[in-house]
Amino acid sequence: LPQRLRAQAQVAAAEREMYDGFWAILSAFLVAVARAVLRGSTPDPTGVFDAMPAWARSVADFTDTTVTSVMSRAYALVFGEGVQFDARPAVATHLAEVNNRLVGVADEVFDQVASTVARGSAEGWSIPETSAAIEQVLSPTNPVWRNRATVVARTETISALNAGRTDSFAAIADALPADEFQQQWLAT
């Protein structure tokens, strides 16, 4: 039980870091998208695409800082603090996969905006009504986006920790080829 509690506390701390980092970039992206979509006299869903390059840069920075930080915790648990792990191929592979997953969030935002415009058009909303609905969809206070940040934080935290742990133990197994190792999962 103490091992599970310790693992659970480590995951919770890593998840908080992941959530805070992702929420910062997501909320900034939502504000940028709202400005781009609503800048003209009529809402333009393609304004989402104007904010995509900045989103891609934010995701890359998030992956290089926050996700790497969470991964480092897994390596530190096995090898101790200060271990150089970032040159390992498994780290680069994992970070690229995370980046690819998170860049797609912009498509999700576009879908939300486009469906709001389509619904407004089908229901005969005025331009101000459509703009207000888009503002509500893109508002950082919209619970959809906080929930999305929670899902991303949980998914990417477990993913980063598992990738780091798996690679750490693979490094040990490579260094000790005569020994036999078996992977065991600890449910938290």
Side-chain angles (χ1 to χ4, degrees):
L1 186 61
Q3 186 179 10
R4 282 189 179 178
L5 292 176
R6 200 170 31 258
Q8 197 171 26
Q10 291 163 351
V11 169
E15 185 179 311
R16 182 83 242 165
E17 179 182 353
M18 195 75 76
Y19 177 87
D20 290 345
F22 186 73
W23 179 246
I25 67 168
L26 179 60
S27 59
F29 176 66
L30 292 170
V31 168
V33 167
R35 287 181 183 145
V37 169
L38 300 171
R39 72 175 159 235
S41 59
T42 59
D44 180 11
T46 62
V48 174
F49 301 120
D50 295 343
M52 283 183 158
W55 173 249
R57 287 189 301 275
S58 294
V59 167
D61 183 54
F62 170 75
T63 331
D64 290 343
T65 57
T66 307
V67 177
T68 301
S69 171
V70 170
M71 275 189 92
S72 74
R73 294 173 188 209
Y75 287 94
L77 287 171
V78 176
F79 296 115
E81 292 295 327
V83 65
Q84 293 296 320
F85 67 93
D86 48 347
R88 295 193 50 81
V91 174
T93 299
H94 180 76
L95 294 177
E97 290 170 356
V98 170
N99 193 66
N100 286 340
R101 280 192 299 267
L102 295 183
V103 166
V105 170
D107 295 331
E108 187 179 330
V109 172
F110 174 78
D111 291 345
Q112 291 277 340
V113 170
S115 70
T116 301
V117 170
R119 190 174 85 235
S121 178
E123 295 178 12
W125 295 351
S126 68
I127 291 173
E129 288 172 321
T130 303
S131 295
I134 290 170
E135 280 185 57
Q136 186 177 3
V137 164
L138 294 175
S139 172
T141 61
N142 184 335
V144 166
W145 302 117
R146 287 277 185 184
N147 292 339
R148 184 70 177 115
T150 299
V151 168
V152 166
R154 287 185 180 154
T155 301
E156 298 308 335
T157 297
I158 295 302
S159 177
L161 291 173
N162 284 341
R165 289 174 184 147
T166 299
D167 187 51
S168 293
F169 284 104
I172 291 171
D174 289 346
L176 304 170
D179 294 341
E180 199 171 304
F181 295 94
Q182 182 178 0
Q183 184 171 352
Q184 178 181 356
W185 291 102
L186 177 63
T188 53

